[in-house]
Amino acid sequence: MPELILSHVTRRFSGHTAVDDFSLTVRDGEFVCLLGPSGCGKTTTLRIIAGFERADAGRLTLDGADITHAPPQQRDIGLVFQSYALFPHKTVAENIGFGLKMRGRPRAAIAAAVEEALALVRLEGLGGRYPRALSGGQQQRVALARALAIRPRLLLMDEPLSNLDAQLREEMRNEIRRIQKSLGITAVLVTHDQAEALAMADRIAVMAKGRLQQMADPATIYEAPATAFVSGFIGQANVLEGRVESTGAEAVLALPGGVTLAGRGDGLAAGAATRAMVKHERMALCRAEPAQLANRFPCQVAERTYLGGSIAYRCEAAGMTLTALLPNHPLFESFAPGDTAWIGWAATDCAFFPC
Amino acid sequence: MTGARGVQWLLLLPSLLLLALLLGLPLAAMLANSLQPNVLLSFTGPALDNYGYLLSRSYYLQVILRTLRMAAVTTLVTIPLGYIAAMLLRRLSGRAGNLAIMGLTFPILAGPLTVVLGWMALLANGGPFLGPLVAAGLIGPPNLLGSETGVVISLVQFVLPFAVLTLYTGLRQIQPQLHEAARSLGAGSLSGFLHVTLPLSLPSALSASIIVFSLAASSFISPHYLGGAGQLTLTTLVTQFIMATFNAELAAAAAGLLLLLMLAAVIGITAAIGRFIRP
Ligand SMILES: Nc1ncnc2c1ncn2[C@@H]1O[C@H](COP(=O)(O)OP(=O)(O)OP(=O)(O)O)[C@@H](O)[C@H]1O
Ligand SMILES: [Mg+2]
């Protein structure tokens, strides 16, 4: 059972902690995305798993075996680099066959495996080319095929799609998932693109400043963020700061202007400074008062931004500046700057985080 | 496109002319001189007799062979040493690396004559390094001064910084991730080096070999001071023809032979290393 477990892994660089007490379990056959802002330690974590960076503290196990101190070549982990790192002096076929050659497989077996890998990434017939004669997308596929040809116990990918244009990126997202599922391989993909993580992952590990913020399936990460960081990082949210007035299943937050908000949150203490966060698309904007919403305020539309599939409205309401994102659909009302309207949101969509 | 090309060539023209003037003219004059009659021989018009004279006497053939041998041995010793040094240099961080490169280039700044005088003192049988060993009876007198080995030792030292810098520049251009990719695919450290780093560094090894061979074959100071009259090379032979026998035509022919030797070596080295370079 190729299961990867990181327990309390820490890595420091001259005083600066790049990976901080990081624990993570990737289950057999699972596709996990490691998501976080630039510099949060994603690459360092991946390099620790691959064996190119040592862990100052903590333990790694793969398949139940301790690999904390195993050299990279003995880990059986396939790695796709952001820069692809294809060998420029070897043909595509030699690149893909390299891992098997290092394992001393007979020539005929290697040739067959290379053909199979080329078919898997849909590059039949390109085995004789040199990497420089391939497009970015084709190089990406070769890098993937090379990592997969050794039938690794674990596949690691560091921002494999960031050098591709938007259309190719979407195509490759599906392609990578198709291949990963068909081989049933356990995989970890590093990205700072939340859309990529939400679309691809079985589970997402959100990371910030070297620490694990939350590990859950995409819907939970998006809809029930565990920390203010996750809430602000995934999607776009309105942020309001105030003090807790009462706690309970439905908590109440008092804003400086005297306005109160209904919402929910864990670990709240009455009187504590607290932040309310509501996703832009969970805001309702309408002409009639939305009586079913716990939080509702008359407002004035200040700005309208046309986004194609949706329209963003910036509104002023009771001293708050709020953004509502409405689908560009005839069922939804349309507003112009200067219009008066009602803005509102449900208590369940209003998450409170201590700050 | 062709217009831009034309302008490029036009802009290059002054430097090309200068190069032709400064390098081409003396070279042409030297080669023309090597075809002229000389006092020892009785031919009349321009001909290859000077070359024939040098190539038909075993004494001069030995000089040519010695020049070739010294340059070849120097190259064969220097390239591996320089490669190891460049690999170590690549591992050093910014400041340590800069200091190491400064230290490495110091002998170039000091000038070859200064350094060769140092070698003369050092390699003498009674020198500060060998003297005590000889006195203690640990080794017999090595007699390195005036020997081919002594010349090669100082040549290696003289050309080493050039080799290290050339190889270092080449190694720096190889992405470190390539070696890591090889490791992740199951190659050990050594096998990753042999399959990835080494083949990718061959172009710079080729340049370094050509530079080192040319510098060694055309060097004058080391064979002159450390080899002396007993170990004549083509460069010191040229000096002898000019200063001792006043035979400018034979000197020019000897210099012409040195030029030919180096040209042949460049072609030979390129063929030997070049066939391993892909794609
Ligand atoms: N070899 C190193 N020496 C010193 N500091 C390092 C080293 N490698 C990484 N760091 C630091 O560790 C932190 C995490 O780096 P890392 O490359 O893991 O970030 P990342 O999440 O992959 O970022 P990005 O999305 O930009 O690739 C950064 O602050 C970086 O400067
Ligand atoms: Mg990174």
Side-chain angles (χ1 to χ4, degrees):
Chain A
M1 272 251 306
E3 184 186 48
L4 172 74
I5 302 173
L6 275 71
S7 33
H8 307 288
V9 170
T10 298
R11 177 72 172 117
R12 291 180 204 92
F13 292 116
S14 49
H16 162 90
T17 308
V19 179
D20 193 357
D21 193 26
F22 192 87
S23 299
L24 179 82
T25 299
V26 183
R27 302 181 196 125
D28 183 29
E30 193 177 30
F31 194 101
V32 165
C33 282
L34 204 54
L35 176 67
S38 186
C40 72
K42 305 182 296 288
T43 297
T44 308
T45 306
L46 211 66
R47 289 173 60 79
I48 290 173
I49 301 173
F52 294 121
E53 203 78 71
R54 68 163 199 282
D56 293 319
R59 240 168 67 92
L60 283 92
T61 58
L62 182 58
D63 274 350
D66 190 318
I67 57 161
T68 315
H69 304 290
Q73 68 270 26
Q74 284 167 19
R75 294 194 180 195
D76 259 335
I77 293 178
L79 186 54
V80 177
F81 291 80
Q82 182 175 357
S83 60
Y84 310 147
L86 298 178
F87 306 130
H89 60 300
K90 293 185 184 293
T91 63
V92 167
E94 287 169 332
N95 264 279
I96 296 175
F98 185 80
L100 297 173
K101 188 173 157 193
M102 290 301 111
R103 284 164 172 71
R105 297 288 156 76
R107 208 174 273 233
I110 296 178
V114 167
E115 282 310 312
E116 195 184 327
L118 280 171
L120 189 67
V121 297
R122 302 185 178 164
L123 285 180
E124 293 97 334
L126 292 188
R129 291 230 195 136
Y130 282 97
R132 73 176 61 160
L134 298 179
S135 72
Q138 289 170 330
Q139 290 183 19
Q140 215 282 323
R141 285 162 192 267
V142 175
L144 187 62
R146 184 177 68 176
L148 289 171
I150 59 170
R151 287 295 137 104
R153 295 189 286 176
L154 177 69
L155 177 66
L156 302 178
M157 294 167 274
D158 191 0
E159 310 213 14
L161 306 180
S162 62
N163 290 334
L164 304 178
D165 64 50
Q167 198 183 340
L168 203 56
R169 205 178 306 160
E170 294 219 347
E171 192 184 313
M172 281 309 293
R173 273 185 201 166
N174 299 330
E175 195 72 4
I176 289 177
R177 263 328 296 259
R178 173 185 70 79
I179 292 168
Q180 182 264 338
K181 277 194 186 128
S182 74
L183 298 177
I185 197 168
T186 312
V188 178
L189 180 142
V190 159
T191 180
H192 60 246
D193 180 346
Q194 47 170 298
E196 195 168 295
L198 291 169
M200 293 179 81
D202 291 324
R203 285 195 300 158
I204 298 176
V206 183
M207 203 174 170
K209 297 201 179 124
R211 293 185 148 269
L212 180 67
Q213 298 286 320
Q214 186 175 9
M215 170 102 183
D217 61 284
T220 307
I221 292 280
Y222 192 85
E223 309 201 12
T227 66
F229 175 83
V230 177
S231 178
F233 186 67
I234 314 280
Q236 288 177 300
N238 291 301
V239 183
L240 299 160
E241 283 186 28
R243 286 186 184 280
V244 176
E245 202 167 86
S246 70
T247 59
E250 191 151 293
V252 176
L253 189 72
L255 302 188
V259 174
T260 58
L261 302 179
R264 48 178 51 190
D266 297 323
L268 301 175
T274 294
R275 193 177 288 161
M277 299 183 112
V278 199
K279 293 261 149 67
H280 287 174
E281 72 278 6
R282 291 298 168 94
M283 308 286 288
L285 188 66
C286 41
R287 295 214 154 76
E289 181 174 354
Q292 76 282 14
L293 296 178
N295 303 297
R296 56 184 187 275
F297 306 94
C299 73
Q300 183 159 37
V301 176
E303 195 182 298
R304 176 184 192 268
T305 310
Y306 182 79
L307 296 170
S310 54
I311 297 170
Y313 296 99
R314 194 163 56 77
C315 306
E316 302 291 341
M320 303 174 286
T321 300
L322 302 165
T323 303
L325 194 68
L326 301 192
N328 184 5
H329 188 277
L331 280 179
F332 288 82
E333 293 168 278
S334 182
F335 302 88
D339 286 1
T340 52
W342 281 86
I343 193 162
W345 61 96
T348 48
D349 289 331
C350 189
F352 293 161
F353 298 101
C355 56
Chain B
M1 230 20 240
T2 46
R5 272 276 159 79
V7 171
Q8 273 179 14
W9 280 110
L10 208 67
L11 290 174
L12 267 177
L13 206 59
S15 27
L16 285 179
L17 279 177
L18 197 67
L19 209 62
L21 215 67
L22 292 181
L23 194 68
L25 274 185
L27 207 60
M30 188 273 288
L31 287 177
N33 206 16
S34 74
L35 303 178
Q36 296 305 314
N38 84 64
V39 287
L40 293 175
L41 301 172
S42 56
F43 66 100
T44 47
L48 292 171
D49 294 30
N50 288 322
Y51 292 94
Y53 178 80
L54 290 178
L55 289 174
S56 62
R57 276 157 182 77
S58 75
Y59 180 76
Y60 297 124
L61 279 176
Q62 268 180 28
V63 170
I64 296 171
L65 257 169
R66 186 181 297 121
T67 311
L68 181 67
R69 194 167 53 231
M70 281 184 180
V73 172
T74 303
T75 310
L76 288 175
V77 173
T78 304
I79 295 300
L81 282 180
Y83 202 101
I84 294 168
M87 289 288 285
L88 293 176
L89 211 52
R90 188 166 78 135
R91 293 205 179 169
L92 293 180
S93 63
R95 174 176 301 211
N98 286 342
L99 275 176
I101 288 183
M102 263 172 62
L104 200 68
T105 43
F106 180 74
I108 304 180
L109 294 179
L113 186 57
T114 320
V115 180
V116 163
L117 290 178
W119 278 116
M120 285 180 74
L122 206 60
L123 294 181
N125 280 349
F129 179 61
L130 296 170
L133 293 178
V134 175
L138 289 173
I139 52 170
N143 297 325
L144 286 173
L145 284 185
S147 78
E148 209 170 300
T149 314
V151 179
V152 168
I153 289 175
S154 108
L155 279 178
V156 167
Q157 179 271 321
F158 167 58
V159 297
L160 195 55
F162 297 97
V164 175
L165 289 180
T166 309
L167 290 164
Y168 173 67
T169 315
L171 284 172
R172 281 276 303 250
Q173 284 167 0
I174 302 173
Q175 272 188 58
Q177 286 98 306
L178 293 178
H179 189 251
E180 291 185 348
R183 301 277 315 266
S184 80
L185 290 167
S189 220
L190 177 66
S191 135
F193 168 77
L194 291 176
H195 282 101
V196 177
T197 312
L198 183 63
L200 288 173
S201 68
L202 284 181
S204 58
L206 174 61
S207 318
S209 304
I210 290 175
I211 291 173
V212 163
F213 187 96
S214 312
L215 284 174
S218 64
S219 101
F220 170 75
I221 295 177
S222 290
H224 182 69
Y225 285 96
L226 296 169
Q231 304 289 342
L232 280 185
T233 63
L234 280 170
T235 54
T236 47
L237 180 67
V238 169
T239 320
Q240 281 227 332
F241 280 138
I242 295 175
M243 312 289 274
T245 59
F246 304 105
N247 197 328
E249 293 78 20
L250 273 183
L257 284 177
L258 178 60
L259 201 66
L260 268 176
L261 183 76
M262 297 214 283
L263 219 61
V266 167
I267 294 170
I269 292 172
T270 308
I273 300 183
R275 71 201 165 98
F276 294 110
I277 297 178
R278 295 200 306 159

